[in-house]
Amino acid sequence: MTVERGDLVALTATEAARRIRARSLTSVQLVTACLERIKERDPDLQAWVEVGAEPALAEAAVRDATPPQGALHGVPVGIKDNADAVPFFTRFGSPIYRNNKPRRDAAHVAKLRVEGAVILGKTVTTEFATFPPGPTRNPRAPGRTPGGSSSGSAAALADHHVPLASGSQTVSSLVRPAAFCGVYGWKASFGRLPLEGMLATSDTLDTLGFLARSVDDFLLLHEIFLGELPAPPAPTNLRVGLHAGPTSNEWHPEMQGLLARAGEELRQAGLSVVDVDPLPFSVDAGIERQWQIMTHEIAALLAPRIHGEESQVTAALLDMLEEGRRVSEKTYVQAMEGRESDRAALAGVWADCDLLLTPAALGPATPGLATTGNGLCGRLWSYLAVPSVACPMGATEAENLPLGLQTIGPEGQDGATLQATKIIAGIVGSPFAP
C-alpha cells in the first residue's frame, strides 16, 4: 500500500492537529487511517507490541465530540514500551514483564492526554531499552536494522503508522533509529522532560524524547512540555559548527561527504559555518567514561528487575550487567568527575557557534537484524546532557538508504536548538518527505 503526500497517514502531527481544530478532519478519520495502515503493514514490520484499536477509536470519538482544547487534540501517538500507558501492558522488551499492567500513565503520557492526544498503542523497544534487538524491521530496507532502542517508534513513523511517537535515549536510542529510518528524533537536554513512570536504566544518562516527521512537531512538543519558545534567529545570524564526529574506522564514505555538502549549502545561504574539530577535551576519554557510568548504573538498576529470572534474559544483557559490576565505585566516581569537567569544557564551544552539526550515525542502517548498529555518534552527546536533533538530510546514492545528521545545542537550550535546527533542515532539505 503506497502512501502519497496527500494521504492522511502522511500528515505530520502539527498539520493533523491544525486540521482537526479546523474541523476539516476528525480524529476518528485519522485514527482509522492509522489503524488500517498498521493492519496492512505491521505483520511484516513488527513495530508495535500492542495496538488498542477499540480504546483508541473510543477516545477519538470523545475528542470529536468536544471542543478542541489541547495542542494535540485528536492526534494519535505511539508510546515506546518502556513507559506506562493505561490500558496497555508495559513489557520493557522482556518476557519477564509480559503481564505487567500499570495502574497509571507515565508523566509524559498523562501530559499528552491532557493536550488531547489519542494513545494508539505501545511500540517495540529492545530488551530493557538496551542493545539486544527486538523483532522490528527497517521499513526503508527490511533486511536492515531500524536501530534501537526506540526501534518501534522510528519504524512506525517512517512507515506512516502514526504521526508522532515517544522514545528515550541513554546512548544513541533516539538519534540512531531516526537516522536509520529516515525520520526526525529529538533527544532533549537531560532532566528537561519527565521520566516518572518510565524504565530507569541510568540515572545519569536516561533522557526522554520523541520521533516525528518534522521539526515543527518538536517545536509544538516544546511548547507543551517546556513552555514558550524563543524567537527564531535570523538565518544569517546563525553560527553553525561542523564537527566530524568521534574517530572511527567504520564511517560510510558518503556520510562525511553529506556533512561537507550540508556545510557548503549553509554557507551559500549566508550562515556562518566553522569547523569545530577537535573539541576542547578528549572525546575518546569521554566516550570511555560514558560507558563506565552507564554500565555501572545499569548493573545497579536492572539487576533487581531480573533477579531469579536470568534464564529469560539474553546473554548479551547478562554480559553487560557483569561488565558494570566490574566498574569499581572509585572508577565510577572518577568518571562522574571527568564528566563534569567535560561539560564545562563544552560550554566554551558556544562562544564561537550557536550549535553543532555532526553525523547522527556512522552511515546507513546496518545490514541484518542481529544488532541495532553502532551507537558511537550518540554516546558523547548523551554523556554531556545536551539536546540533539537527528534529521534525515541525505541518502546513499546506490540504494537510497537514509543518512542522518544531528544538531547539538547548549545544555538546557532546547528551544533555541530546535528553532535553529528548523532553519538548517529547511536549507539542507531531506530526500524523505513526511
Side-chain angles (χ1 to χ4, degrees), residues 186 188-196 207-210 221 225-226:
W186 169 34
S189 295
F190 175 79
R192 292 279 280 162
L193 298 180
L195 294 176
E196 294 85 1
T207 305
L208 176 63
F210 292 90
L221 288 165
F225 285 96
L226 300 176

Side-chain angles (χ1 to χ4, degrees), residues 7-377:
D7 287 352
L8 293 183
V9 293
L11 294 175
T12 65
T14 304
E15 177 61 16
R18 186 193 69 77
R19 293 193 189 185
I20 291 171
R21 283 195 303 272
R23 302 294 192 181
S24 63
L25 172 68
T26 70
S27 179
V28 168
Q29 287 172 329
L30 180 56
V31 169
T32 298
C34 290
L35 291 172
E36 289 175 351
R37 178 72 175 175
I38 292 169
K39 183 178 180 180
E40 172 78 16
R41 297 280 297 176
D42 204 54
D44 292 328
L45 191 65
Q46 298 188 63
W48 297 85
V49 183
E50 186 179 3
V51 176
E54 290 186 9
L57 286 169
E59 196 168 355
V62 171
R63 298 288 185 258
D64 289 336
T66 57
Q69 295 181 352
L72 288 170
H73 189 92
V75 177
V77 177
I79 302 298
K80 182 179 177 180
D81 196 29
N82 65 339
D84 294 338
V86 177
F88 304 101
F89 291 94
T90 305
R91 297 179 174 91
F92 306 126
S94 171
I96 298 173
Y97 286 87
R98 57 185 167 278
N99 297 318
N100 177 41
K101 201 152 201 178
R103 297 179 180 178
R104 61 181 63 87
D105 289 332
H108 71 280
V109 176
K111 180 63 174 173
L112 291 170
R113 287 196 203 272
V114 168
E115 294 294 329
V118 175
I119 307 304
L120 203 59
K122 304 296 287 294
T123 59
V124 170
T125 180
T126 60
E127 184 182 33
F128 291 107
T130 59
F131 299 106
T136 308
R137 294 178 176 271
N138 190 320
R140 309 283 188 190
R144 293 173 180 257
T145 179
S149 61
S150 303
S151 48
S153 289
L157 258 295
D159 204 47
H160 298 89
H161 296 189
V162 70
L164 187 67
S166 68
S168 62
Q169 180 160 310
T170 305
V171 180
S172 198
S173 289
L174 273 158
V175 298
R176 185 167 80 261
F180 283 179
C181 293
V183 296
Y184 294 82
W186 169 34
K187 183 202 80 72
S189 295
F190 175 79
R192 292 279 280 162
L193 298 180
L195 294 176
E196 294 85 1
M198 295 183 64
L199 173 70
T201 54
S202 169
D203 289 335
T204 303
L205 304 170
D206 288 351
T207 305
L208 176 63
F210 292 90
L211 293 116
R213 289 198 289 269
S214 76
V215 180
D216 280 335
D217 291 352
F218 298 146
L219 295 173
L220 182 63
L221 288 165
H222 184 285
E223 292 182 329
I224 289 171
F225 285 96
L226 300 176
E228 186 176 354
L229 287 157
T236 53
N237 291 337
L238 193 57
R239 303 170 303 161
V240 180
L242 297 186
H243 178 62
T247 56
S248 172
N249 295 323
E250 301 180 41
W251 288 110
H252 189 277
E254 293 180 73
M255 177 55 78
Q256 295 298 317
L258 171 62
L259 182 64
R261 176 179 65 78
E264 183 57 32
E265 290 175 353
L266 296 175
R267 288 189 183 96
Q268 291 179 2
L271 281 67
S272 170
V273 180
V274 297
D275 289 326
V276 181
D277 202 5
L279 293 172
F281 56 89
S282 171
V283 170
D284 289 342
I287 287 174
E288 175 63 20
R289 284 192 281 266
Q290 186 274 340
W291 188 257
Q292 292 167 342
I293 293 166
M294 181 189 72
T295 56
H296 183 84
E297 294 183 350
I298 282 178
L301 291 168
L302 289 189
R305 283 190 172 274
I306 68 170
H307 181 69
E309 302 284 355
E310 285 82 359
S311 64
Q312 299 192 68
V313 176
T314 63
L317 181 56
L318 292 175
D319 288 345
M320 181 185 294
L321 296 180
E322 181 57 33
E323 188 171 348
R325 293 186 190 101
R326 291 197 296 266
V327 177
S328 68
E329 192 65 28
K330 179 180 179 181
T331 298
Y332 173 73
V333 170
Q334 290 173 340
M336 292 290 282
E337 291 172 348
R339 176 175 176 265
E340 292 309 304
S341 176
D342 291 346
R343 290 169 74 182
L346 179 67
V349 168
W350 310 123
D352 299 317
C353 61
D354 300 302
L355 80 170
L356 300 176
L357 184 64
T358 187
L362 295 175
T366 307
L369 301 175
T371 172
T372 58
N374 193 320
L376 181 66
C377 293

